[in-house]
Amino acid sequence: GEDGDGGEESRCPPLFVYNREAGAEWFNQTLTRTKRLESAYRYAGWLMGQAIHNRCELDVRFPRVLFKRLLEGAGFEPTIE
């Protein structure tokens, strides 16, 4: 709340949701894009990058298409392949 007790309004909603059919995490499609949300995703990416850099094992499963996007950059066009 307003007194710094970490009330509901200060919490970030789940950024990723597990898709049982795909067996992987994906971006939470129910969220509205805001600067705060973009910041939260950037921080989550940084945090995962730090864990990988420090050789920490992460129990997070993302679909291959996400890794292809990271490797190929902005010109990436998703396909079924």
Side-chain angles (χ1 to χ4, degrees):
E2 291 179 340
D3 57 356
D5 65 357
E8 269 311 302
E9 65 278 355
S10 66
R11 293 187 186 157
C12 186
L15 300 177
F16 305 100
V17 291
Y18 186 73
N19 181 310
R20 288 180 194 226
E21 191 174 308
E25 301 283 336
W26 195 247
F27 301 100
N28 187 345
Q29 299 291 313
T30 64
L31 302 178
T32 302
R33 188 175 186 163
T34 63
K35 292 281 185 191
R36 182 171 182 240
L37 185 61
E38 287 178 15
S39 242
Y41 275 115
R42 224 175 265 113
Y43 178 71
W46 175 84
L47 192 58
M48 284 186 245
Q50 290 298 304
I52 292 167
H53 175 76
N54 288 298
R55 294 186 168 105
C56 293
E57 190 173 316
L58 297 175
D59 188 24
V60 180
R61 291 169 183 87
F62 289 109
R64 287 181 187 226
V65 69
L66 180 64
F67 293 104
K68 284 185 79 170
R69 166 64 168 98
L70 290 172
L71 293 173
E72 294 181 22
F76 174 72
E77 293 289 329
T79 66
I80 300 282
E81 300 173 15

